Amino acid sequence: MDRLRLSDSLEMSRIVYGMWRLGDDDDVSPSHIQAKVEACLMQGITTMDQADIYGGYTAKGLLGSAFTQAPGLRDRIELVSKCGIVAPTGRYFGAKVKHYNTSSDHIMRAVEQSLSDMRTDRLDVLLIHRPDPFMDHEDTGKALDRLVSDGKVLNVGVSNFALSDWTLLQSAMTTKLVTNQIELSALHHQPFLDGSVQWMQERGVPPMAWSPLGGGDLFGTRGAIVRAVLNRIAEEQRTDVAAVAVAWLLAHPARVLPVMGTNSLSRIQTLGDAMRVEIDRETWFEILTAAMGQDVP
């Protein structure tokens, strides 16, 4: 598995295991969650992606139970987490409305809760989960800088940020933001065309890509045309459609980090197959053309 350096203190595996569905499995025992992490590690997938809101604020505790059962497991991975979404469920059941909170107080409390839930003393990366239209960038930036200086968070970044959101927050910080996690797939390819990927590429910021299989739509009616092209390539290279779809993202020079989420242990064991798929320039555009439904201009 290839690795990518994002900062002096952070390397990530090119494929990331996303844990947003961790609490949806029929088996949420510590041993089963450990088996998922170990299946990733066997392929060199060492980066795990979490968030406060995953599983109605329960997914982090499930992972923490696995860390407790398997001492040393935490130190074999890079742990990414996100905060800032407050939904009226779980610990925020009393919230009047779903909203974003990027205040210093909320971020500090969220990190302390994350460290407690996951039984760890640091996060390798903390992301602000969504751009907050009510953000006080000075307050937010100060909180993120302090978490890094205190050693509770080693790196910070954002998720779903436009360039204007990024530059606003970065202007109030001394710590460099290391990534932006965005929706990106063959079915959601607009970020390759509208400047979203380009500004990150210009700044040397590798994007993390959530829903790289289009939230499963790639295997439904909506994805039929693209899937036909992916399937032909998969047959030629003796792999499957998912591996080709992920390889399409990996091939881009922006150094995309796909975040793969599945609860199937057998599927987890094949996530690394995408690294063996070859996508040249013409093949990349062939997939884009199918996704667009027309030739490029």
Side-chain angles (χ1 to χ4, degrees):
M1 176 65 61
D2 292 346
R3 297 182 64 76
L4 194 60
R5 179 163 292 282
L6 281 74
S7 75
D8 290 342
S9 61
L10 178 66
E11 276 191 358
M12 293 172 61
S13 52
R14 280 303 305 273
I15 294 175
V16 177
Y17 180 53
M19 295 185 162
W20 64 84
R21 296 173 180 162
L22 201 62
D24 298 339
D25 202 348
D26 292 335
D27 186 352
V28 294
S29 65
S31 58
H32 190 59
I33 292 170
Q34 180 187 350
K36 294 178 182 180
V37 176
E38 295 283 4
C40 289
L41 293 174
M42 286 289 290
Q43 304 166 80
I45 299 172
T46 61
T47 306
M48 310 290 146
D49 180 74
Q50 274 274 5
D52 284 355
I53 198 171
Y54 289 170
Y57 304 95
T58 65
K60 290 183 177 181
L62 295 175
L63 181 59
S65 296
F67 288 157
T68 298
Q69 175 176 280
L73 185 62
R74 164 65 184 96
D75 292 332
R76 297 168 62 194
I77 70 172
E78 301 86 44
L79 195 52
V80 179
S81 191
K82 299 180 284 293
C83 72
I85 300 179
V86 180
T89 187
R91 67 174 63 104
Y92 296 115
F93 179 76
K96 291 186 291 185
V97 63
K98 183 180 181 181
H99 63 281
Y100 305 140
N101 191 339
T102 57
S103 68
S104 176
D105 287 346
H106 180 83
I107 292 171
M108 292 297 183
R109 288 196 304 270
V111 168
E112 291 296 340
Q113 186 68 56
S114 294
L115 298 179
S116 175
D117 287 347
M118 293 189 285
R119 281 76 152 177
T120 185
D121 61 352
R122 84 279 181 196
L123 301 176
D124 295 285
V125 190
L126 174 70
L127 308 180
I128 300 299
H129 204 155
R130 289 276 178 178
D132 176 8
F134 199 66
M135 179 177 70
D136 178 339
H137 68 297
E138 297 285 353
D139 184 54
T140 303
K142 180 179 179 181
L144 296 176
D145 280 340
R146 178 180 170 186
L147 286 167
V148 172
S149 65
D150 288 348
K152 294 180 179 180
V153 171
L154 304 186
N155 298 271
V156 289
V158 295
S159 183
N160 303 295
F161 271 42
L163 174 57
S164 55
D165 302 308
W166 174 285
T167 56
L168 175 64
L169 179 57
Q170 187 69 88
S171 72
M173 299 177 62
T174 58
T175 308
K176 295 283 189 181
L177 299 169
V178 298
T179 191
N180 184 20
Q181 187 175 134
I182 62 172
E183 183 178 5
L184 191 60
S185 68
L187 294 186
H188 189 79
H189 55 270
Q190 291 83 358
F192 283 126
L193 306 173
D194 64 12
S196 298
V197 170
Q198 285 83 351
W199 69 256
M200 287 180 267
Q201 188 173 350
E202 178 186 358
R203 288 162 175 77
V205 175
M208 296 178 70
W210 61 268
S211 285
L213 301 180
D217 286 348
L218 192 61
F219 302 98
T221 303
R222 180 169 169 250
I225 295 175
V226 179
R227 188 170 66 251
V229 175
L230 298 176
N231 189 62
R232 195 208 75 236
I233 298 167
E235 290 178 352
E236 291 172 354
Q237 301 199 32
R238 297 183 179 180
T239 186
D240 60 24
V241 165
V244 177
V246 173
W248 185 72
L249 296 175
L250 291 169
H252 195 276
R255 303 181 299 162
V256 177
L257 297 149
V259 182
M260 302 294 294
T262 176
N263 273 323
S264 167
L265 192 56
S266 61
R267 181 73 191 106
I268 292 171
Q269 291 167 342
T270 66
L271 293 180
D273 289 354
M275 300 298 301
R276 295 189 287 275
V277 178
E278 296 181 4
I279 304 288
D280 60 20
R281 179 181 289 269
E282 287 195 50
T283 303
W284 196 91
F285 273 94
E286 183 182 8
I287 295 169
L288 178 63
T289 299
M292 294 172 60
Q294 62 185 32
D295 286 342
V296 295

